[in-house]
Amino acid sequence: MKNNSKLIFFISLTLFFQNIHSEEINLKNYLTNINTMEADFEQSNYSNSNALIDKSIGRIKIKKPDNLMWDIELPFSKKIVLQKDTLRIFDSQLNQLLISSMPMEIENSFLILLLRDANILNFYSINKIEKDGDEEQFILIGNNRRNIFEKIEIYITKDKLSKFIFVSANNESIVLELMNVLINKKLPDKDFIINVSDNTEIIDQKND
């Protein structure tokens, strides 16, 4: 009887890891096949005691392999654009444009890995998969010390990315919800250009 129980356990464990491997391939292929993405977003930042720190609302655009834009509308207007290795941040309140190289600390962030078509599963391993109707949830655990986050939860609803939860080593978290998601819609390069007025202060740290 004990031998049968061990055999059942071994078979179950083998099937579990086969399923994880299959889902890793499916997730990798799904993310790789996203060439452009545009969505409204709501981002909530939480402390390690799960208290809401702040919330922002806006629109995100991604165009592989070089273009990423955060167009924040609330609580204040700000645009953040990454083109190749150049980061531009326009603060409308200050009427200031900051230009810099991409900080090293964000090179392994999830959205940068997605943008650059890096194999995200070289940095994170799938720990758990759950399905509820049209929604799939992937829980990824970091396997690289350089990762910004220790855990990432990815939600895909009706074949579209719908939510991310990023959890840091000190248990602070970011919840990023996506709405009105458009996958592989043609996005012109001009969508990733920040136009400023003549009286805008420009701080170019990249060429300092």
Side-chain angles (χ1 to χ4, degrees):
M1 188 69 177
K2 287 184 179 180
N3 288 337
N4 288 339
S5 298
K6 288 180 180 179
L7 180 61
I8 292 170
F9 173 77
F10 176 76
I11 292 172
S12 300
L13 195 62
T14 302
L15 291 174
F16 171 77
F17 282 112
Q18 285 179 344
N19 181 56
I20 288 288
H21 179 67
S22 174
E23 292 297 341
E24 282 183 345
I25 293 172
N26 290 340
L27 180 60
K28 177 185 174 183
N29 290 340
Y30 174 81
L31 296 175
T32 300
N33 288 330
I34 295 176
N35 296 310
T36 69
M37 185 179 77
E38 183 177 2
D40 296 319
F41 75 83
E42 182 175 297
Q43 178 177 315
S44 303
N45 299 324
Y46 294 90
S47 69
N48 54 16
S49 61
N50 205 34
L52 179 65
I53 299 172
D54 56 42
K55 181 180 289 189
S56 57
I57 295 172
R59 192 154 184 82
I60 183 175
K61 293 182 181 182
I62 291 175
K63 182 179 181 180
K64 291 179 179 177
D66 296 319
N67 299 287
L68 170 66
M69 173 182 273
W70 287 91
D71 191 352
I72 302 169
E73 299 170 1
L74 296 171
F76 48 80
S77 178
K78 180 181 284 189
K79 287 187 178 181
I80 303 170
V81 173
L82 179 67
Q83 290 181 302
K84 294 186 177 179
D85 294 321
T86 299
L87 183 67
R88 293 178 175 86
I89 302 174
F90 176 65
D91 188 320
S92 62
Q93 287 184 313
L94 299 176
N95 193 24
Q96 183 182 88
L97 176 64
L98 175 65
I99 303 171
S100 68
S101 299
M102 182 175 68
M104 290 183 62
E105 58 266 23
I106 71 168
E107 286 183 356
N108 286 349
S109 68
F110 181 84
L111 291 177
I112 301 302
L113 293 174
L114 175 62
L115 180 67
R116 299 291 160 82
D117 245 351
N119 184 359
I120 290 164
L121 298 176
N122 286 339
F123 298 85
Y124 294 91
S125 301
I126 294 179
N127 177 257
K128 189 176 181 181
I129 303 162
E130 292 186 354
K131 295 185 180 182
D132 183 11
D134 293 327
E135 183 179 83
E136 287 185 276
Q137 176 193 12
F138 297 86
I139 299 178
L140 280 62
I141 303 297
N143 54 23
N144 187 312
R145 290 183 179 180
R146 293 179 58 198
N147 290 350
I148 297 176
F149 302 105
E150 284 207 344
K151 184 174 77 171
I152 297 178
E153 296 181 27
I154 303 174
Y155 294 79
I156 300 174
T157 305
K158 295 183 177 179
D159 295 326
K160 291 184 179 181
L161 290 168
S162 57
K163 184 167 71 172
F164 298 99
I165 299 177
F166 305 97
V167 183
S168 68
N170 62 359
N171 210 36
E172 293 177 339
S173 62
I174 299 171
V175 178
L176 178 65
E177 296 184 74
L178 303 177
M179 294 78 70
N180 304 316
V181 180
L182 300 173
I183 302 290
N184 292 338
K185 170 192 172 185
K186 186 175 181 180
L187 293 177
D189 289 341
K190 66 180 181 64
D191 283 8
F192 300 89
I193 296 174
I194 298 178
N195 296 310
V196 297
S197 61
D198 293 338
N199 64 345
T200 298
E201 180 186 10
I202 299 177
I203 302 173
D204 191 345
Q205 296 179 340
K206 189 169 184 180
N207 294 319
D208 285 350

